[in-house]
Amino acid sequence: GRAAQQHATGHGEDFIIPTLPSMVTINPSIPLFQIQRNLAGLVPHAVDRAIKEVISAVVERSVTISCLTTREMVTKDFAMEPDENVLKKAAQLMVSSVSGSLALVTCREPLRVSLTNHLWQLLLPHCQAKDMNETAALEQVVHILSTDNLELGCNLIEKAVVDKALKDIEESIAPALQARKDQRARQPSVPYYDANYIQPNSKWPQALPEMLRPKPGPLSPQQLKVYKDFNAMPIGSAKARLPAGLPPLNVAGVTTSGASQEQPGASLGGLGGLAASGGGSAPASASEAAAAQAEPELQSSPRTTSGAAAAAAESSGAEEGRSEADGPSIVPPPVPVDAQAALASLTGTMDQVVQNLINDPPLLPPIDAANPHLYKQDDALDACAALAMLPLDHELAGLLRQVPQWLSQCPHAETCALDLAQRLFKRLYDAPQVVPQVHPPDTVSLLHAVIEVDLSVMETLKDTLKEQLAKVLLVWVDDVPGVQRYSIDVISGLLRYGLIGIPEFDRLLAKWVDPRGRDNHGSVNALALDFAVLLLQRVCLQQRIFAGQDFSHTMEALVREATRTMQYQQLGMSPQEAQPGEAAAKLLEELRSAEAPAAGAARQAVGARLAERAEEEARNRGSEALDTASSRETIVTIFEEWYNMYNASPDSLQNRSGRGGNQVYTAVLSHITSGGFIRNDEAKELFFRVCCEHAVQRAYADAPAAAGSGTEDEQRSSDRPGGEDGQSESTPAPTMHFAAIDAFTRLVVLLMKVAGADKVQMLTRALLAISKELRQDAERKGVNFNQRPYFRILLNLLMELSTPDPNFEQANFQLLSAFCNTFHTCNPLRVPNFAFAWLELISNRMFMPKLLMVKNQRGWLMFQRLLVQLLYFLEPYLRRVQLNESTRLLYKGTVRMLLVLLHDFPEFLCDYHFSFCDIMPIPCVQIRNLILSAFPRNMKLPDPFMPNLKVDLLPAIKVAPRILANYTTTLLQQHLKHDVDTYMRTREQRLLETIKDKLRLPKRETLQLDTKYNVPLLNALLLYVGVHLPQHGKSLPGQGGLQQNNPSLDIFMYLAHNFDYEGRYLFLGAIANHLRYPNTHTHYFSCVLLYLFADTSDEVVREQITRVLLERLIVHRPHPWGLLITFIELIKNRRYEFWNHSFVKCAPEVEKLFQSVAFTCLGTTIDRQSEGEQLAGQTAPGSQPGQQLQRGGGGAETAAAAAVGVGPAAQAQPNPMEAPTAGG
């Protein structure tokens, strides 16, 4: 043992790398090292000796081959590239990847043999193996150690090879680099070319195809991507990641003194702000580390230019638009060393602000009762409004103040501002890949919140950079390649914040759309045309920030394309090719009839709105602090005076409305006015909040005194909803006396009447104070929170304002919208302890019917928001089918509310079914059926069980349903809409795989949501492909709603066959969600489902189609009409041979279930079934009474039609434990 210790510690200075002992892996469970702990010190020496034994030959061979190959390839490919930095970075990317790969392939097996031999040599003398068993045990130890440390040795050898290769390649291409420098010094205006490869009369490269032929000037982004992809190649192993900052290997003859002075790839600097803003984990290998440092130089982001080119771009490039000969775009000069630390601290603060917003996103802004149609029409404006409503001491407001202060004190302000602008620009385009795609429905879009933060910080740079900022941003936008350039969220945000000029961008956008532009070589640029249409729709029609005349050059280009489309349509242009031109023509008509933006409208920018709020609060606050102890005492005194007068007045007992008792309260009103508690919004909110807090405290304090009196309020208090929610069974709910609560609500109503025209604002402030106190009380008390007093307050206010009163009738909708916004801020996602009271309030007869019956359906959007929040709150419990008693009770209340909506407001469910289905979990079959069973009250459904029903001849089948969901905006995620549109035009098969991959969620969201797929994005894709896009061609036999040679069917068929089980189930379920009442969507998607069943050769696809239909039919009623006619067609039409498939006959129980459903639907059974089986098959095995389908008969316009199996509303029994059937 002592000898081993001496051996292990005697050669530390000879390790190939000083930290090698700490990097070696030794399994602690090996018995040998538990008995003789000192032997573990021999393992690093064995690893060290093995590496030294093989490294010299590997380095020599790998470096020689990789440098020679790289030099020849790079100098040939970049023969006409004038920028030596681009050539150098490309060579570094290639050589690091090639040399690393060669090293790993060459060294692995020799290193394994050498490592095993050295372990035997060092361990065997100390183990004294006496027999075969001990020898076998030692052999097992050696095998474990060599396996565990093989990757470490390979990665260290790879590091040595990459270090040497990076140094050698720089020497190898030095002549080519110098030639470019000399050319630029002697003849800066003459395009550079390498005479070794480009000769005037030579056949090559002139004979190469156009795509491969070198052209004067910089390489295109597509060509540079070949070298960037070296960084994406899987090199090395993730099992043995080398720590960051590892020193060079100490191997004589492998690394030179120059290499030991810097880290591998340290010479790849000069990357500007883009490299500094990157993050992520350490690379898995040395070659990846080097490539990761070199790659940003080849990105589409700005590349270094000479001084003349940069000056030209700054002075005229932004105004006249850049051509391909203008050269690369602008990069700021390097940030001085003394400012780098401060800049890094600033970006760190910005990252922290963004991360905190992602973790705790702000609530959606309240709906403006005057303009409810504007709500949720634009995620960017919602995010802007929500961020502008944050407290003025929020960290975002502090960040926006910190940036200009720091720049004003920075000695290199312009350089640092330009570098920060470049980082922010890159963050804007990287946001979709970084920010989570899914967010709660009560919060703003996370993506748009992050974009708003970046735009707000960039706006603070305008004072420092002035006109230069707009010029460089326009150049950078034009320099972004391919589909990434056309980011609606980024470009519209830059325009809205005034960061790029409208006239300059108008000319640039027109150049993109022009078929003669550099990107499309004379053919129509469908991508740019579609982008221009969507951008103008957003900024001119949705956001109403600009007028169409502001984009005069773009509109001229759109007119040309619309005219061209009309001409080519007469020559047989396909509908897919004509769609962009038709969309342009439609947009032009809408812009001509659109209203001009309101003059003097508030700026839609976070910084500007925060500044306006700060100025307004400073004016209102004055010199006197409002929220002080003395102010609170005064408010409590006023409330106590009001409480005593209210309870002493006979009017409070005889007439709750108090119309005749206002004179009694004059003194209290004068005290409130003289105290200044209604002079502004802040004072009103403080007054109501203190009164609410005091009233709730009195409700508890007065309970013992009122307990013996047996008042009506005390007897009724135990009946309030969820009174014992959150209380343990052994702890009874505290008794309460509601006299103070009633006095408080009566005071609010009285102040509203006194306010006159400002009554809506008075109620809004009162409700805001109540909601804040509610949330604070719930957060403070946790499980001991009692929701009854707040429920009583809100219910009293609802009842008071619902009584006939001329003071309130004219402002009925504004008052209801104030309640709606309050319920939004107190929804179960925010205050779970208030869930039962919240559900009873939103479904109360004083609120829900009145809101939904407002003229022109102005209240529908508000109630849809509340219902979505309720379903999203229930979703995790229903998804996992884990319902305790309280959750089950909440689920039953939800089902009953939906039944009321189905009976009284079916059109509401029809119009918003798409947004509800987006968040419905898989096991929640009954609620989904309830929503999808809704149909307009003026429609009489045909009996789906009627023989020879001709669905395609029904008049309603030709009418498209109204879907109030902006699904095309959802498709802009990850540019999925562009991929679909491109496939529709080109039928390029690789796009199908791209479309499928983009439907998957990142791993972090997959674990959170228990699904691998973005369900809202999948639903939007199906609706867009199947309905929004034009259909053409001859009808398929037996499928009246489908046409031959339709790319939509190609997409459907590809997804059905290439999804995994989960993806296919969600895909088929999304199709089934459109099987509703008779309309064009129901007919089309019914035909799609039947087509997939008939045309596929995969039995698994047919089985999953059957599963999706069947599991929706064997639950309680109601059942959607389209679902029934689709399933009846499937089992009745011999074309589909349903009864001959194996999954129907896989088990007697399954076959009996199918026979039961067939008997219920068709009134008959299959011929081969016996008479006894017919009788037994009338009820599905295991089904409860009422679960089987009901045929025919019944009234035409009840809660739902009896013809589709929907009986009276009360017959639908909540069954939250329903789960999907087995199969698939």
Side-chain angles (χ1 to χ4, degrees):
R2 185 175 305 168
Q5 177 68 19
Q6 293 174 353
H7 191 105
T9 58
H11 303 281
E13 67 277 11
D14 296 331
F15 281 128
I16 194 168
I17 193 166
T19 57
L20 180 63
S22 63
M23 300 167 65
V24 170
T25 301
I26 300 177
N27 194 329
S29 63
I30 297 177
L32 175 62
F33 297 136
Q34 295 175 356
I35 299 173
Q36 302 185 54
R37 298 183 181 275
N38 294 335
L39 294 182
L42 298 175
V43 180
H45 289 274
V47 176
D48 181 65
R49 293 181 183 181
I51 293 174
K52 290 178 178 178
E53 186 173 294
V54 302
I55 191 170
S56 299
V58 174
V59 168
E60 184 66 27
R61 173 182 173 85
S62 301
V63 171
T64 301
I65 296 175
S66 61
C67 286
L68 180 62
T69 304
T70 300
R71 184 192 66 193
E72 295 299 323
M73 292 294 296
V74 170
T75 52
K76 175 183 66 68
D77 287 343
F78 291 80
M80 304 186 77
E81 169 63 56
D83 192 342
E84 68 275 6
N85 290 320
V86 175
L87 171 66
K88 179 180 176 181
K89 306 313 173 188
Q92 290 170 334
L93 279 172
M94 180 175 177
V95 79
S96 61
S97 176
V98 174
S99 63
S101 300
L102 278 173
L104 292 176
V105 172
T106 307
C107 77
R108 183 174 297 274
E109 196 55 37
L111 182 62
R112 185 195 306 275
V113 174
S114 179
L115 183 55
T116 302
N117 293 337
H118 285 292
L119 285 170
W120 268 105
Q121 292 174 9
L122 291 178
L123 294 178
L124 185 59
H126 304 282
C127 295
Q128 299 177 357
K130 299 178 181 179
D131 54 25
M132 295 295 295
N133 293 333
E134 293 184 1
T135 303
L138 180 59
E139 183 178 355
Q140 180 67 20
V141 171
V142 170
H143 175 73
I144 293 174
L145 291 172
S146 63
T147 302
D148 290 346
N149 293 284
L150 179 63
E151 297 298 336
L152 172 63
C154 289
N155 284 355
L156 288 174
I157 293 174
E158 181 196 10
K159 172 180 168 55
V161 169
V162 172
D163 286 354
K164 184 75 163 58
L166 286 172
K167 181 175 178 9
D168 288 2
I169 192 60
E170 190 166 349
E171 298 175 356
S172 183
I173 62 173
L177 301 179
Q178 188 61 39
R180 285 161 174 79
K181 295 178 182 178
D182 296 343
Q183 166 80 9
R184 188 163 57 250
R186 293 193 309 267
Q187 297 175 313
S189 60
V190 177
Y192 173 83
Y193 68 91
D194 191 335
N196 295 322
Y197 297 95
I198 307 297
Q199 298 177 3
N201 299 321
S202 175
K203 179 180 179 181
W204 307 105
Q206 281 72 17
L208 290 174
E210 177 68 21
M211 183 180 299
L212 301 177
R213 189 184 311 150
K215 300 178 182 62
L219 268 66
S220 68
Q222 292 80 9
Q223 293 168 326
L224 288 176
K225 187 175 183 299
V226 175
Y227 285 87
K228 289 197 306 180
D229 287 346
F230 277 114
N231 197 24
M233 296 176 63
I235 305 170
S237 171
K239 296 179 181 178
R241 292 182 181 271
L242 297 181
L246 199 65
L249 274 66
N250 184 21
V251 180
V254 177
T255 57
T256 65
S257 60
S260 64
Q261 299 299 317
E262 59 183 31
Q263 299 299 322
S267 61
L268 315 186
L271 305 185
L274 295 183
S277 63
S281 59
S285 63
S287 55
E288 288 181 359
Q293 294 185 25
E295 182 190 3
E297 195 68 32
L298 295 180
Q299 293 286 357
S300 60
S301 308
R303 287 162 47 187
T304 307
T305 66
S306 62
E314 289 186 17
S315 61
S316 61
E319 298 179 2
E320 300 301 330
R322 296 168 59 252
S323 67
E324 189 171 358
D326 289 332
S329 56
I330 304 166
V331 159
V335 177
V337 177
D338 56 345
Q340 289 179 0
L343 186 59
S345 174
L346 187 65
T347 54
T349 302
M350 192 162 50
D351 291 337
Q352 187 61 45
V353 170
V354 169
Q355 189 59 48
N356 292 341
L357 284 174
I358 291 176
N359 296 335
D360 185 19
L363 276 171
L364 281 168
I367 299 177
D368 183 5
N371 300 293
H373 61 282
L374 297 180
Y375 168 72
K376 205 53 180 166
Q377 293 301 307
D378 190 85
D379 289 333
L381 294 187
D382 286 340
C384 177
L387 293 176
M389 294 171 60
L390 293 173
L392 293 178
D393 58 351
H394 191 272
E395 56 185 352
L396 174 59
L399 175 65
L400 297 182
R401 292 190 296 267
Q402 178 185 356
V403 174
Q405 291 174 1
W406 175 72
L407 288 174
S408 65
Q409 301 170 2
C410 180
H412 314 283
E414 185 172 338
T415 300
C416 293
L418 198 57
D419 184 88
L420 183 58
Q422 189 183 31
R423 298 186 187 212
L424 290 167
F425 183 79
K426 184 175 185 297
R427 288 164 61 109
L428 286 171
Y429 279 93
D430 288 346
Q433 285 73 43
V434 178
V435 180
Q437 300 177 17
V438 182
H439 60 90
D442 65 333
T443 68
V444 298
S445 164
L446 301 182
L447 172 63
H448 292 88
V450 172
I451 290 177
E452 289 296 311
V453 171
D454 293 336
L455 290 171
S456 301
V457 177
M458 189 179 289
E459 187 184 27
T460 63
L461 307 178
K462 293 170 70 174
D463 292 339
T464 302
L465 296 175
K466 299 181 174 58
E467 296 83 2
Q468 185 183 8
L469 179 62
K471 293 177 180 179
V472 297
L473 285 176
L474 196 65
V475 173
W476 291 346
V477 166
D478 192 28
D479 204 42
V480 177
V483 67
Q484 299 298 326
R485 171 195 295 172
Y486 305 110
S487 174
I488 302 246
D489 297 320
V490 174
I491 301 298
S492 63
L494 292 173
L495 289 169
R496 176 161 47 90
Y497 276 77
L499 294 170
I500 55 179
I502 299 178
E504 294 79 14
F505 180 76
D506 177 35
R507 283 192 285 269
L508 179 62
L509 182 57
K511 184 187 70 173
W512 289 351
V513 175
D514 193 339
R516 296 165 295 181
R518 58 172 174 158
D519 289 345
N520 33 15
H521 307 292
S523 61
V524 59
N525 190 344
L527 179 58
L529 180 58
D530 187 52
F531 168 77
V533 170
L534 293 175
L535 180 66
L536 265 60
Q537 283 179 342
R538 174 170 295 191
V539 299
C540 298
L541 300 178
Q542 294 181 10
Q543 298 178 345
R544 299 184 182 179
I545 299 174
F546 306 110
Q549 291 76 9
D550 296 330
F551 298 88
S552 57
H553 293 85
T554 302
M555 292 187 67
E556 290 175 3
L558 294 180
V559 169
R560 288 195 298 270
E561 288 303 319
T563 306
R564 174 182 174 276
T565 299
M566 293 179 60
Q567 295 172 350
Y568 277 86
Q569 275 184 311
Q570 300 174 359
L571 301 177
M573 175 184 282
S574 69
Q576 283 77 21
E577 295 174 333
Q579 187 199 3
E582 292 175 348
K586 181 180 179 182
L587 171 68
L588 292 171
E589 294 179 5
E590 294 175 347
L591 289 176
R592 293 188 186 101
S593 59
E595 298 179 2
R603 282 194 62 205
Q604 298 293 342
V606 175
R609 298 180 69 167
L610 284 174
E612 292 172 2
R613 278 185 52 210
E615 294 176 2
E616 182 180 357
E617 291 194 11
R619 288 194 303 267
N620 294 336
R621 189 182 303 112
S623 59
E624 181 182 354
L626 189 63
D627 190 0
T628 62
S630 60
S631 299
R632 287 178 170 269
E633 291 177 2
T634 304
I635 294 173
V636 171
T637 302
I638 294 174
F639 180 79
E640 285 295 329
E641 181 184 3
W642 160 259
Y643 175 72
N644 295 329
M645 295 176 65
Y646 175 78
N647 284 319
S649 171
D651 180 69
S652 66
L653 300 176
Q654 297 173 4
N655 186 358
R656 292 283 303 231
S657 63
R659 300 187 193 91
N662 286 346
Q663 296 180 357
V664 182
Y665 312 136
T666 304
V668 175
L669 294 176
S670 65
H671 292 163
I672 295 174
T673 305
S674 61
F677 295 117
I678 57 174
R679 69 173 184 268
N680 56 48
D681 290 343
E682 187 179 6
K684 294 174 189 174
E685 184 178 334
L686 174 65
F687 177 79
F688 287 126
R689 188 165 184 179
V690 174
C691 289
C692 177
E693 180 183 2
H694 186 68
V696 172
Q697 292 175 354
R698 286 213 61 164
Y700 290 107
D702 295 346
S709 63
T711 63
E712 179 183 0
D713 287 337
E714 172 60 28
Q715 294 170 5
R716 289 161 49 193
S717 66
S718 61
D719 297 331
R720 293 304 174 199
E724 298 183 4
D725 182 53
Q727 308 285 343
S728 61
E729 296 182 0
S730 60
T731 304
T735 57
M736 305 189 70
H737 186 61
F738 291 119
I741 297 291
D742 296 341
F744 169 61
T745 56
R746 190 70 192 90
L747 177 61
V748 174
V749 175
L750 181 62
L751 289 174
M752 289 178 59
K753 293 180 179 179
V754 173
D758 294 333
K759 53 183 171 289
V760 175
Q761 186 64 18
M762 185 71 72
L763 177 66
T764 301
R765 284 292 155 182
L767 291 176
L768 181 60
I770 294 168
S771 64
K772 285 184 176 179
E773 183 61 29
L774 187 159
R775 296 198 305 272
Q776 183 177 341
D777 194 13
E779 184 177 354
R780 182 172 60 247
K781 295 181 179 178
V783 295
N784 295 321
F785 171 71
N786 195 325
Q787 55 194 318
R788 288 181 293 164
Y790 301 99
F791 170 75
R792 177 102 175 188
I793 291 172
L794 295 171
L795 183 60
N796 280 354
L797 289 175
L798 269 176
M799 296 177 66
E800 291 280 4
L801 300 179
S802 298
T803 56
D805 192 321
N807 291 306
F808 301 142
E809 288 179 356
Q810 294 182 351
N812 179 50
F813 175 61
Q814 287 78 7
L815 298 176
L816 288 173
S817 65
F819 277 101
C820 196
N821 291 327
T822 300
F823 297 150
H824 165 60
T825 59
C826 300
N827 71 81
L829 295 169
R830 297 279 166 165
V831 193
N833 291 353
F834 193 63
F836 285 93
W838 185 87
L839 177 58
E840 184 162 337
L841 286 168
I842 68 166
S843 59
N844 191 277
R845 60 187 178 86
M846 299 294 180
F847 177 73
M848 184 177 76
K850 291 180 179 292
L851 184 64
L852 293 177
M853 288 191 295
V854 172
K855 188 177 180 181
N856 298 326
Q857 302 174 352
R858 289 182 295 166
W860 282 26
L861 189 60
M862 299 183 179
F863 194 76
Q864 180 263 354
R865 177 168 75 170
L866 299 177
L867 186 53
V868 165
Q869 292 165 0
L870 175 61
L871 295 176
Y872 193 86
F873 175 73
L874 285 170
E875 189 270 341
Y877 305 100
L878 298 175
R879 184 201 328 145
R880 301 183 177 94
V881 200
Q882 297 174 352
L883 304 183
N884 54 26
E885 289 303 319
S886 59
T887 313
R888 190 184 301 273
L889 186 61
L890 191 66
Y891 172 83
K892 290 182 178 179
T894 303
V895 172
R896 290 174 179 173
M897 182 178 68
L898 288 173
L899 284 167
V900 174
L901 291 172
L902 180 65
H903 185 276
D904 295 339
F905 303 99
E907 292 86 356
F908 170 77
L909 295 179
C910 292
D911 290 353
Y912 287 105
H913 85 283
F914 191 79
S915 59
F916 298 146
C917 290
D918 274 349
I919 57 177
M920 212 85 67
I922 290 175
C924 200
V925 180
Q926 186 178 27
I927 286 185
R928 184 183 290 106
N929 276 358
L930 272 175
I931 294 171
L932 299 180
S933 296
F935 62 93
R937 283 172 292 181
N938 60 0
M939 175 181 290
K940 182 176 181 180
L941 292 183
D943 187 350
F945 308 103
M946 183 173 61
N948 301 322
L949 175 64
K950 300 296 184 182
V951 175
D952 52 343
L953 299 181
L954 296 175
I957 216 68
K958 297 179 175 60
V959 180
R962 186 170 70 158
I963 296 181
L964 299 180
N966 198 358
Y967 55 90
T968 54
T969 301
T970 306
L971 285 174
L972 296 179
Q973 295 181 22
Q974 304 180 38
H975 303 282
L976 186 61
K977 181 179 181 296
H978 159 68
D979 295 328
V980 174
D981 292 341
T982 304
Y983 178 79
M984 288 290 181
R985 292 189 301 269
T986 65
R987 303 287 187 96
E988 191 174 351
Q989 292 301 306
R990 67 172 182 84
L991 290 172
L992 295 176
E993 183 67 21
T994 301
I995 292 171
K996 182 175 75 73
D997 291 341
K998 288 185 177 181
L999 295 173
R1000 296 179 68 96
L1001 287 171
K1003 185 175 181 180
R1004 63 181 182 275
E1005 295 181 65
T1006 296
L1007 298 176
Q1008 177 185 354
L1009 300 174
D1010 292 339
T1011 178
K1012 298 192 293 288
Y1013 294 93
N1014 188 334
V1015 176
L1017 190 59
L1018 174 61
N1019 292 341
L1021 171 68
L1022 290 186
L1023 190 57
Y1024 180 75
V1025 171
V1027 176
H1028 178 81
L1029 296 179
Q1031 310 295 325
H1032 70 100
K1034 298 180 179 179
S1035 297
L1036 291 170
Q1039 306 292 348
L1042 304 181
Q1043 289 79 30
Q1044 287 179 333
N1045 196 30
N1046 194 327
S1048 299
L1049 288 182
D1050 295 342
I1051 295 178
F1052 290 148
M1053 188 62 74
Y1054 180 86
L1055 294 179
H1057 285 89
N1058 291 275
F1059 267 138
D1060 57 12
Y1061 281 100
E1062 179 189 0
R1064 188 183 302 114
Y1065 178 80
L1066 294 172
F1067 164 73
L1068 296 173
I1071 294 178
N1073 289 341
H1074 295 283
L1075 305 180
R1076 302 187 294 147
Y1077 63 92
N1079 58 64
T1080 56
H1081 294 188
T1082 297
H1083 188 216
Y1084 177 81
F1085 284 104
S1086 176
C1087 292
V1088 167
L1089 211 56
L1090 294 173
Y1091 172 78
L1092 293 177
F1093 190 95
D1095 200 64
T1096 183
S1097 58
D1098 190 347
E1099 194 74 357
V1100 175
V1101 176
R1102 295 192 181 101
E1103 183 177 356
Q1104 281 197 289
I1105 292 174
T1106 306
R1107 172 195 172 181
V1108 167
L1109 296 176
L1110 189 64
E1111 70 183 8
R1112 300 187 183 205
L1113 291 172
I1114 61 175
V1115 299
H1116 289 292
R1117 294 172 293 171
H1119 303 102
W1121 180 87
L1123 186 74
L1124 285 172
I1125 63 110
T1126 303
F1127 189 74
I1128 291 173
E1129 178 69 13
L1130 182 64
I1131 64 176
K1132 185 178 178 181
N1133 195 326
R1134 297 185 181 275
R1135 178 174 181 267
Y1136 304 108
E1137 300 181 344
F1138 178 81
W1139 300 101
N1140 295 331
H1141 294 294
S1142 58
F1143 59 84
V1144 177
K1145 301 174 288 184
C1146 62
E1149 304 83 32
V1150 174
E1151 188 170 10
K1152 185 176 293 186
L1153 174 63
F1154 282 116
Q1155 294 287 354
S1156 171
V1157 175
F1159 180 83
T1160 307
C1161 292
L1162 305 178
T1164 183
T1165 54
I1166 304 306
D1167 295 338
R1168 64 174 180 272
Q1169 192 175 16
S1170 64
E1171 186 69 24
E1173 290 175 326
Q1174 292 180 24
L1175 296 176
Q1178 294 180 16
T1179 302
S1183 64
Q1184 301 175 9
Q1187 276 185 300
Q1188 62 267 25
L1189 302 176
Q1190 181 174 334
R1191 295 191 66 238
E1197 296 184 37
T1198 58
V1204 293
V1206 184
Q1211 291 185 1
Q1213 306 171 27
N1215 186 11
M1217 298 305 293
E1218 293 165 345
T1221 58

